[in-house]
Amino acid sequence: MDFTFTPSQNELVKRVGEFAADKIAPHRKEQDSGATYRPGLIPDMAAADLFALRIPVRYGGLGLDAVSAGIALEQLAAADLSVCFPVLNSALIGGVLADNGTPEQSARWLPPLARGEHVVALALTEPAHGTDAAGIQLQARADGDGWVLTGEKTSIMIAAHATHALVFARTGGEGPGGISAFYTPLDGERIRRERLTDLGCRAGGRGRLVFDGHRVGPGDLVGAPGGGFAAVMRGFGVSRALIALMAIAVGNAALEEAYAHATRRTAFGRPLGRFQSVSFPLVEHTTLLHAARLVAYEALCRADRGEDPRIPSNMAKWWAPKAAVEAVHQALLTMGHLGWSEDGPIAQRLRDVIGLQLADGTAAATKLTVARLVLGREYAP
């Protein structure tokens, strides 16, 4: 059992960490208050190869493993969680396209995704179907050699920034077997976007996508008809562990700020860290985040070895965001009015990280996945 990164992974930590400190962290408050990414962010991230992490080398990507994607997202999330979503989506959707697309489709889609020319959203959730993703109702009506998409997607991260989307639509009967996936640009006349107003991750541009007869052709279908739901569910085995690491990074960043405050601030003639009521809760949350991080990286290691990552990935996904929210909350309490103030570093982190308790599956959904894998479907809820 080896808990160390390889030399190339340690170099990635350094490289992305320096990029985040230079290009991301200084703009965190500006992006939050403006509720959008700063001009030039996407090109800067593309130049740093952040969209190329998981794209195969033959299509212009770096071809890195899942652990390396986790490393990069940790560094970005510690600086500003909201910038992680285009990178996460590139890794998740790039994998779905590479695994399910034809060679011609991969050659057409993956190089611009790696270069950051395609900023891609995952269009799965609908107003009446969130956790119940297999019940989605956006219709793909057969029309000649293609389909016409009609319906609404909502709560779509980076909807405001995306140039393309992987859209899941019903081409057949009820249930997961009737869902297909389409990769399509979002500049069509029959697509309407609406930005949503959020508690946190405001720069991330979460929004609605309304399809009003948007046409897609046979070359836009990813994989076989009816195979879309299974494709994205396989991708979640990695992406849920990546999201867990994003949450952990936010929690650890907040705790670092609280530890620093505990050494600078004095009360009753002593540094705050000398009081057990201050230092012990911080240590408890540091311990929980450390343990959750190990589970998340176990999932990514299993995926890289070709093993099923779903049990540790879903464990990490339900646990890490909860642990991170509680850690950031404790950091806020430690810092008192500095933590409560929007002028300080903590309030935004708390608002941002709460959303990861919903993204890519709630705690209930991920616990259900673990229960079914451990007990078997016939004995689980």
Side-chain angles (χ1 to χ4, degrees):
M1 186 177 296
D2 187 356
F3 292 100
T4 60
F5 292 146
T6 66
S8 62
Q9 288 169 341
N10 282 320
E11 176 57 31
L12 184 66
V13 172
K14 181 175 183 292
R15 180 171 69 82
V16 179
E18 290 174 349
F19 172 85
D22 183 38
K23 300 291 188 179
I24 304 296
H27 304 281
R28 178 164 65 94
K29 290 183 66 64
E30 160 201 335
Q31 294 192 148
D32 180 63
S33 60
T36 192
Y37 293 149
R38 66 170 175 84
L41 174 68
I42 296 297
D44 283 347
M45 296 176 78
D49 286 329
L50 291 171
F51 302 120
L53 297 172
R54 297 279 284 158
I55 305 297
V57 172
R58 65 184 177 277
Y59 297 116
L62 299 181
L64 299 183
D65 56 17
V67 168
S68 296
I71 287 169
L73 285 165
E74 272 192 301
Q75 296 299 314
L76 294 174
D80 183 355
L81 180 62
S82 73
V83 308
C84 291
F85 297 101
V87 177
L88 175 71
N89 283 1
S90 179
L92 169 60
I93 295 172
V96 172
L97 299 179
D99 291 343
N100 297 276
T102 66
E104 185 277 331
Q105 288 174 322
S106 294
R108 179 157 48 97
W109 292 333
L110 294 178
L113 190 58
R115 293 192 297 265
E117 296 165 5
H118 288 192
V119 179
V120 64
L122 183 75
L124 180 62
T125 299
E126 297 180 2
H129 298 282
T131 299
D132 180 20
I136 64 170
Q137 293 300 315
L138 187 143
Q139 292 296 310
R141 175 176 56 83
D143 182 59
D145 63 349
W147 294 264
V148 173
L149 305 184
T150 303
E152 178 183 341
K153 297 294 183 180
T154 195
S155 196
I156 307 303
M157 282 305 299
I158 68 168
H161 307 293
T163 63
H164 292 69
L166 185 64
V167 181
F168 296 84
R170 190 159 297 284
T171 53
E174 294 299 312
I179 298 172
S180 300
F182 300 92
Y183 188 73
T184 181
L186 294 176
D187 58 358
E189 294 180 357
R190 294 188 171 276
I191 302 175
R192 187 174 80 253
R193 307 190 204 203
E194 178 183 328
R195 180 188 286 267
L196 299 175
T197 302
D198 293 334
L199 174 68
C201 282
R202 293 168 177 168
R206 190 178 68 99
R208 299 169 63 231
L209 297 172
V210 180
F211 297 84
D212 184 18
H214 175 69
R215 181 173 176 79
V216 291
D220 300 322
L221 176 69
V222 181
F229 186 80
V232 74
M233 288 298 113
R234 286 192 295 271
F236 281 171
V238 169
S239 68
R240 285 176 172 168
L242 296 176
I243 289 174
L245 288 170
M246 288 158 50
I248 291 161
V250 176
N252 280 328
L255 289 174
E256 287 175 11
E257 288 156 347
Y259 281 121
H261 179 78
T263 65
R264 293 191 303 262
R265 179 69 179 266
T266 61
F268 307 103
R270 293 188 291 171
L272 288 183
R274 294 284 300 277
F275 295 93
Q276 291 184 10
S277 60
V278 173
S279 59
F280 283 13
L282 295 177
V283 169
E284 290 169 5
H285 289 290
T286 299
T287 303
L288 292 172
L289 289 180
H290 181 77
R293 186 171 183 262
L294 293 178
V295 176
Y297 272 116
E298 178 195 346
L300 299 181
C301 286
R302 289 186 179 278
D304 287 336
R305 292 200 298 261
E307 301 171 8
D308 188 345
R310 288 178 297 169
I311 288 178
S313 178
N314 282 277
M315 286 177 171
K317 176 58 183 69
W318 80 254
W319 180 23
K322 179 178 184 291
V325 168
E326 292 171 351
V328 179
H329 184 203
Q330 186 61 50
L332 185 153
L333 296 177
T334 301
M335 297 181 69
H337 73 275
L338 293 176
W340 177 249
S341 173
E342 286 284 3
D343 294 329
I346 300 296
Q348 182 189 340
R349 293 194 193 279
L350 183 57
R351 288 190 285 102
D352 286 353
V353 78
I354 287 171
L356 296 188
Q357 293 184 290
L358 303 172
D360 250 25
T362 63
T366 48
K367 289 176 185 178
L368 177 62
T369 299
V370 175
R372 288 177 172 176
L373 291 168
V374 172
L375 294 169
R377 279 183 168 267
E378 65 272 32
Y379 301 110

